[in-house]
Amino acid sequence: MTSMSRARVARRIAAGAAYGGGGIGLAGAATVGLVLAEVQLARRRVSNGTSPHVPQADGLYGRMYAGPAVAPLRLTMLGDSTAAGQGVHRGGQTPGALLASGLAALAERPVELRTVATPGACSDDLDRQVALVLADPDPVPDICVIMVGANDVTHRMPATRSVRHLASAVRRLRTAGAEVVVGTCPDLGTIEPVRQPLRWLARRASRQLAAAQTIGAVEQGGRTVSLGDLLGPEFAENPRELFGPDSYHPSAEGYATAAMAVLPTVCASLGLWPAEEERPDASRREGFLPVARAAAEAASEAGTEVAAAMPSGPRGPWALLKRRRRRRVPEQEPAPATPSN
């Protein structure tokens, strides 16, 4: 599927989500029967992880920057097992801990991490997770990171419904005053046990959903980072290094790779990224595009950020597409200083 075709599909899905449209399929309902046996085989082999348990990572990071006059930044992780960090053994290996450590080092401020992400969650669980965040008596988080979408594809949730729930979550969090970064749906076509033709369908569905997620999130004031190709060629080439023991969830190295892609956007959303890197670089094919076109391009390239730009243009809202340079995530602290309950 070309970038323009993907943009049109993503625009239709996002419009259906915004205006209450029906269930536009992710990969075409007519093909479901042809691959049903393969889906069942893949599910048995993958088993969605060996255990729903995820290590405890919540608490204070960057404690060397703490002081009576220094308020910590508040980071909250929402979404599914990828946001929670399922597949690793230590809290410091989770994406939340990696992002909190990196953010603390770059901001030179402590960071309070809270995780409400739930293994197995689809996008419709974001309503509950956002309610938990907003019901907290503590201040609203400075930054919320959402990673969701893989289970929507495997459970064949209509894309319009998936994007509607994500857009609602972004809108509620932004209205409350939090910055929001969404790591879009990863490329499920890279999962080792998945065979053809399901592999091709999973890749197509993942990219369609990622592009539609980008439109929905950006139009509500969030930023997105494409994880699809990031968790694609690199995972396919190094499955024993980047996949965990269940061949489904990332390993510690895989989560670190994803965190390095998301961290620059987290910092930029808080005004912590160098000003010279905020200007689009034409030599890296950065610039302003209609949001649907930017979403389609981002779905095809790892680590690509999309953020709202001009409020409107001849073809609707516009967005800034950035291909941020990856920086090494500072070494995470072995354990948070003050674990939360």
Side-chain angles (χ1 to χ4, degrees):
M1 181 180 289
T2 67
S3 176
M4 291 300 295
S5 297
R6 191 177 297 118
R8 286 193 293 269
V9 172
R11 181 74 268 176
R12 288 203 307 270
I13 293 171
Y19 298 108
I24 299 175
L26 285 170
T31 63
V32 171
L34 297 176
V35 297
L36 183 58
E38 186 67 24
V39 170
Q40 297 300 327
L41 176 61
R43 282 179 176 173
R44 285 197 299 270
R45 296 181 65 186
V46 170
S47 301
N48 198 28
T50 56
S51 169
H53 172 74
V54 294
Q56 172 61 255
D58 289 4
L60 189 70
Y61 291 78
R63 54 185 175 271
M64 72 284 292
Y65 304 114
V70 182
L73 291 168
R74 294 171 56 81
L75 164 66
T76 297
M77 302 293 296
L78 302 91
D80 56 23
S81 56
T82 305
Q86 185 175 351
V88 295
H89 301 293
R90 299 196 302 274
Q93 297 171 324
T94 64
L98 293 164
L99 288 172
S101 297
L103 179 57
L106 290 167
E108 296 186 346
R109 287 175 61 181
V111 175
E112 183 72 32
L113 171 66
R114 183 187 181 196
T115 303
V116 297
T118 304
C122 294
S123 292
D124 55 5
D125 191 53
L126 291 174
D127 297 343
R128 179 189 65 83
Q129 295 181 26
V130 170
L132 287 175
V133 173
L134 299 183
D136 193 324
D138 290 333
V140 172
D142 296 284
I143 178 74
C144 292
V145 175
I146 303 174
M147 295 180 178
V148 75
N151 295 318
D152 298 37
V153 175
T154 59
H155 288 75
R156 303 209 309 272
M157 176 182 288
T160 48
R161 181 182 172 198
S162 174
V163 174
R164 187 179 303 124
H165 283 290
L166 175 62
S168 174
V170 174
R171 180 174 60 252
R172 292 168 65 191
L173 292 168
R174 292 290 291 129
T175 299
E179 298 291 337
V180 181
V181 173
V182 177
T184 56
C185 183
D187 183 355
L188 297 180
T190 63
I191 299 172
E192 274 193 315
V194 177
R195 300 175 180 174
Q196 296 291 11
L198 181 59
R199 181 184 295 274
W200 179 84
L201 291 169
R203 173 167 287 117
R204 182 180 175 214
S206 301
R207 290 187 176 185
Q208 285 182 5
L209 180 57
Q213 286 178 317
T214 295
I215 297 174
V218 169
E219 290 186 343
Q220 298 302 325
R223 302 189 188 208
T224 64
V225 179
S226 169
L227 298 182
D229 280 352
L230 181 72
L231 308 183
E234 295 182 34
F235 276 30
E237 292 171 9
N238 304 288
R240 288 175 176 78
E241 294 179 13
L242 295 176
F243 278 122
D246 60 11
S247 296
Y248 186 90
H249 295 96
S251 65
E253 292 81 3
Y255 279 128
T257 301
M260 281 192 289
V262 174
L263 180 60
T265 301
V266 167
C267 292
S269 70
L270 295 171
L272 299 171
W273 207 241
E276 62 271 15
E277 292 193 22
E278 292 304 289
R279 293 187 291 270
D281 184 347
S283 68
R284 300 176 65 212
R285 295 177 295 116
E286 298 180 346
F288 298 97
L289 295 169
V291 66
R293 176 76 180 276
E297 291 204 14
S300 301
E301 185 167 342
T304 304
E305 174 190 318
V306 180
M310 308 170 206
S312 63
R315 287 182 286 177
W318 283 59
L320 173 61
L321 184 144
K322 292 281 294 178
R323 295 177 170 88
R324 296 189 182 276
R325 296 177 179 85
R326 296 184 204 166
R327 295 186 175 185
R328 183 176 180 82
V329 176
E331 185 176 352
Q332 69 271 20
E333 299 172 27
T338 55
S340 55
N341 295 325

